[in-house]
Amino acid sequence: KKELLSREGYAAMVATATTLNTVGASLADDPDVHAMTDVTGFGLLGHALEMARGSGLVAVLEQARVPRLAEATEHARAGVVTGASRRNWESYGDAVRLPVGLEEAERHLLTDPQTSGGLLVACAPQAADRVVAAMRAAGLPAASCVGRLRAGGTPCVEVIQG
């Protein structure tokens, strides 16, 4: 929109935004997959919070393992963030614990309302590697295990440096 992306960054953004999450249909048939959502309007933190609340668990996200486009952090640090990222934080930030010293730009990336985000999948721990492998095989090379759900306390999202 602001024409700040490099040619390579733009190509990566288009490739990512146009890769369909069709693997979701096959993952839905996997008995070890317990929940799944397309990360869109509420950002990663908002969708993780929905999963935490729905399961009665705490979602622990490892900030360093969250995939991002190559230029995303640079632009967020320069203040190129969406108004919806701020609104998302205002609406659910009280249910999120961030590590001390986390950059504001990183928080914006975690609340950014993707219009074509990746899948957030909750599965049995023993299935995590298999699920990530299936996602990568389906054309989602940045798929990774970004956290876990754990019992204990009020459902919320806890972000750790990882």
Side-chain angles (χ1 to χ4, degrees), residues 10-159:
Y10 183 79
M13 183 270 304
V14 169
T16 299
T18 58
T19 300
L20 300 177
N21 290 323
T22 55
V23 69
S26 63
L27 290 177
D29 292 332
D30 187 325
D32 287 328
V33 172
H34 305 297
M36 186 172 9
T37 183
D38 185 350
V39 177
T40 53
F42 302 110
L44 178 60
L45 292 182
H47 287 278
L49 182 58
E50 286 181 335
M51 282 188 175
R53 287 175 172 162
S55 64
L57 300 170
V58 175
V60 180
L61 299 180
E62 295 181 43
Q63 177 262 335
R65 297 186 66 152
V66 175
R68 63 199 61 215
L69 293 171
E71 297 177 33
T73 302
E74 168 191 343
H75 290 300
R77 285 179 177 151
V80 181
V81 296
T82 65
S85 175
R86 289 180 181 92
R87 289 187 297 277
N88 279 344
W89 181 251
E90 290 169 6
S91 72
Y92 58 69
D94 60 336
V96 176
R97 290 182 243 150
L98 298 175
V100 173
L102 184 76
E103 288 182 66
E104 185 177 10
E106 290 294 327
R107 190 197 77 217
H108 281 296
L109 293 173
L110 294 171
T111 58
D112 185 52
Q114 300 296 315
T115 55
S116 183
L119 289 176
L120 179 60
V121 179
C123 66
Q126 71 274 10
D129 289 341
R130 179 172 45 80
V131 168
V132 169
M135 294 175 82
R136 288 179 180 165
L140 303 169
S144 80
C145 182
V146 298
R148 64 192 178 282
L149 293 164
R150 69 166 168 76
T154 302
C156 66
V157 175
E158 179 181 328
V159 179

